[in-house]
Amino acid sequence: MDDLTGKPLLRSMIGSHIWSLFDTDTVAFKREVVAYFARGYPGWTVVKVVEPIIFLRDDRNPKK
């Protein structure tokens, strides 16, 4: 559950080539995760990483 919106989060995964950066280069890991989901899930925001799951929040149509 998202603390900001109270809505359920989408659970997704990423490839091992990105996970390999998790322990060796956290800056590159974060950059690659954001880029990966920007291409595949535009408008979604990465909110939490719990290996092997990435949690995303739907920010495409926020309520006003």
Side-chain angles (χ1 to χ4, degrees):
M1 200 59 82
D2 182 31
D3 293 337
L4 183 65
T5 65
K7 293 182 180 179
L9 297 172
L10 174 70
R11 295 173 52 163
S12 190
M13 299 177 82
I14 55 175
S16 60
H17 65 286
I18 298 175
W19 275 119
S20 67
L21 298 170
F22 185 74
D23 292 321
T24 59
D25 189 345
T26 56
V27 172
F29 173 77
K30 290 176 185 178
R31 180 183 63 239
E32 291 301 316
V33 168
V34 169
Y36 178 85
F37 287 107
R39 286 188 302 272
Y41 292 88
W44 291 74
T45 303
V46 176
V47 293
K48 186 168 35 172
V49 176
V50 180
E51 193 174 1
I53 304 296
I54 307 290
F55 292 89
L56 305 167
R57 179 181 62 232
D58 185 359
D59 289 335
R60 293 174 295 174
N61 296 311
K63 291 182 179 180
K64 295 180 181 184

